[in-house]
Amino acid sequence: NGVTIIDPNNTYIDADVEIENDVTLTPGTVLKGKTKISAGTVIDSSTLIDSIVGKNVSVGPMSYLRPGTILHDNVHIGTSVEIKNSEIGQGTKIPHLSYIGDCITGENCNLGAGTTTANYDGKNKHQTIIGNDVKLGVNTVIVAPVKIGNKVYSAAGAVIVCDIPNDAL
């Protein structure tokens, strides 16, 4: 019904998965649980479990969307990205080698390679909230709970441990 599966012998789709037309699945893709994938999306040899994926999204290769992940329209998830219990805003890019857990990002953000939300303090999980149009340099670590305002920029290797107001560098 309009879904392209490049190699059906190396693609796994659970019975509860819903896929709209104009979706492409490459070899090694695993879709489990109540995953929903919208039109125009490409999943490149990645695993998605109980996730919701908007229109015109690209995921992978070798990315892992764990339960509770929501990707809005036009999101790009690059190579080796893990996302857990997070909502990624429209037009946001997480290019590669990142861990995003218990996080809400705004629209049109760019989380540089190696961005990590350190959401666990040894006892409890905490949430990170990232505003719109935020640009984080490579290897930025966000130690939750933290709120990052709109139009915030971080340098490479930044460690963010407190709330950041709008328009900050």
Side-chain angles (χ1 to χ4, degrees):
N1 291 336
V3 175
T4 301
I5 303 173
I6 304 298
D7 184 356
N9 291 327
N10 289 302
T11 303
Y12 176 81
I13 303 171
D14 219 358
D16 291 333
V17 173
E18 296 179 27
I19 306 172
E20 291 184 359
N21 61 5
D22 193 29
V23 169
T24 300
L25 305 175
T26 68
T29 296
V30 177
L31 307 175
K32 296 171 76 176
K34 295 188 184 287
T35 296
K36 296 180 183 180
I37 301 174
S38 297
T41 292
V42 175
I43 309 296
D44 188 357
S45 59
S46 295
T47 299
L48 287 68
I49 302 172
D50 295 328
S51 299
I52 299 172
V53 178
K55 293 181 180 177
N56 302 313
V57 170
S58 62
V59 176
M62 299 183 306
S63 289
Y64 182 24
L65 304 187
R66 291 172 51 192
T69 297
I70 300 170
L71 305 180
H72 288 275
D73 296 347
N74 304 307
V75 165
H76 171 74
I77 304 300
T79 303
S80 299
V81 173
E82 182 176 356
I83 302 176
K84 177 199 76 90
N85 194 34
S86 296
E87 184 171 350
I88 310 302
Q90 182 172 320
T92 290
K93 296 176 179 85
I94 306 173
H96 49 276
L97 304 170
S98 296
Y99 171 75
I100 307 300
D102 300 302
C103 181
I104 298 173
T105 72
E107 297 180 355
N108 303 311
C109 296
N110 186 56
L111 281 57
T115 296
T116 300
T117 56
N119 59 335
Y120 185 59
D121 65 8
K123 280 187 164 183
N124 299 302
K125 302 247 176 146
H126 300 282
Q127 188 175 53
T128 295
I129 299 174
I130 299 172
N132 296 320
D133 303 304
V134 171
K135 311 297 183 217
L136 301 178
V138 298
N139 293 321
T140 294
V141 177
I142 304 164
V143 182
V146 168
K147 291 182 183 177
I148 298 174
N150 298 319
K151 297 182 180 177
V152 168
Y153 293 82
S154 77
V159 178
I160 300 173
V161 297
C162 61
D163 292 352
I164 308 293
N166 293 339
D167 303 306
L169 173 62

